[in-house]
Amino acid sequence: GAGVSQSPRYKVAKRGQDVALRCDPISGHVSLFWYQQALGQGPEFLTYFQNEAQLDKSGLPSDRFFAERPEGSVSTLKIQRTQQEDSAVYLCASSLDGYNSPLHFGNGTRLTVT
Amino acid sequence: AQSVTQPDIHITVSEGASLELRCNYSYGATPYLFWYVQSPGQGLQLLLKYFSGDTLVQGIKGFEAEFKRSQSSFNLRKPSVHWSDAAEYFCAVDVGGYGNKLVFGAGTILRVKS
């Protein structure tokens, strides 16, 4: 497919478990973003990659959140010791070059922490 | 701090009627502004964006928006709504200076009645 692909689509975790969320951006897209969307809210910026470099991680809410993009393509968002407040939809987006080129969003991973 | 306010949580319009969704922003510099649409279970799709120049911008699906600096507003309009326009709409402002680190409003849910 030509779009941004995220997996899993749904994830249920018990409080304290670690989770890993995957994002496959559009091929050739240099820039990759993660956003968190809580229920009834707009998305909130988490972090930004240009190729494999994480240029901005100012939105990560705590040191339990970690993102990587080791080869400049697929990215993984990892949440350690999940808490109930981590329940949200995690959206990944990619863009061709990050400089005013449009964002293409995936359908998101809905994380529920019980 | 930068912020986006969408005063209307829900709006219901009749099919064929005109639509205006309100958006006010708070940002110190010249803003880059966006409108996105999100259907249930889907990612966000860019409707239109304003970077500079003509303050009336045209987007996809017959939408337009007008940037009014004096009112700090960027309202979305459509002259005749179709049932397929039912979705949630998000206004956003870029705070990263590169067009993709976005602060979103809380969204407006549009319902279309036949």
Side-chain angles (χ1 to χ4, degrees):
Chain A
V4 176
S5 178
Q6 293 187 244
S7 59
R9 190 77 176 88
Y10 302 93
K11 177 69 178 178
V12 178
K14 292 186 177 179
R15 189 171 55 187
Q17 284 184 331
D18 298 348
V19 299
L21 312 180
R22 177 187 171 104
C23 173
D24 283 86
I26 294 173
S27 178
H29 278 197
V30 168
S31 297
L32 186 145
F33 301 78
W34 285 96
Y35 282 81
Q36 179 192 56
Q37 186 174 19
L39 188 64
Q41 301 297 318
E44 293 189 359
F45 173 83
L46 293 177
T47 188
Y48 160 53
F49 290 85
Q50 187 167 348
N51 295 306
E52 68 278 4
Q54 189 175 21
L55 299 186
D56 187 339
K57 55 181 181 179
S58 62
L60 295 177
S62 77
D63 59 6
R64 296 186 295 104
F65 286 71
F66 172 76
E68 60 183 6
R69 194 186 184 197
E71 298 178 356
S73 178
V74 172
S75 177
T76 304
L77 176 67
K78 297 179 179 178
I79 308 173
Q80 297 177 325
R81 304 181 304 281
T82 53
Q83 304 295 314
Q84 283 193 316
E85 61 263 28
D86 300 335
S87 296
V89 175
Y90 291 85
L91 296 168
C92 177
S94 68
S95 71
L96 189 59
D97 60 12
Y99 294 95
N100 303 330
S101 56
L103 279 177
H104 298 263
F105 281 87
N107 290 342
T109 293
R110 181 177 296 277
L111 173 64
T112 302
V113 181
T114 61
Chain B
Q2 306 97 338
S3 65
V4 174
T5 301
Q6 294 180 245
D8 304 304
I9 298 174
H10 297 98
I11 281 186
T12 300
V13 300
S14 298
E15 191 169 16
S18 64
L19 171 70
E20 182 169 29
L21 301 183
R22 296 183 290 163
C23 172
N24 293 95
Y25 67 90
S26 173
Y27 187 63
T30 300
Y32 292 170
L33 295 162
F34 304 79
W35 276 99
Y36 282 84
V37 61
Q38 186 178 37
S39 298
Q42 302 296 312
L44 292 95
Q45 181 182 22
L46 179 66
L47 285 176
L48 48 78
K49 62 184 180 183
Y50 170 78
F51 282 177
S52 64
D54 193 348
T55 56
L56 184 64
V57 294
Q58 303 296 321
I60 62 171
K61 304 184 180 186
F63 286 92
E64 68 178 24
E66 186 172 12
F67 170 59
K68 293 185 177 180
R69 183 185 300 275
S70 62
Q71 298 177 19
S72 297
S73 69
F74 189 56
N75 294 350
L76 182 72
R77 301 193 295 248
K78 186 170 185 178
S80 178
V81 168
H82 187 262
W83 64 267
S84 60
D85 294 324
E88 188 161 17
Y89 292 79
F90 293 93
C91 181
V93 63
D94 169 55
V95 299
Y98 48 81
N100 281 319
K101 182 178 181 180
L102 304 179
V103 170
F104 285 86
T108 297
I109 297 172
L110 172 65
R111 299 185 177 124
V112 180
K113 59 181 181 180
S114 57

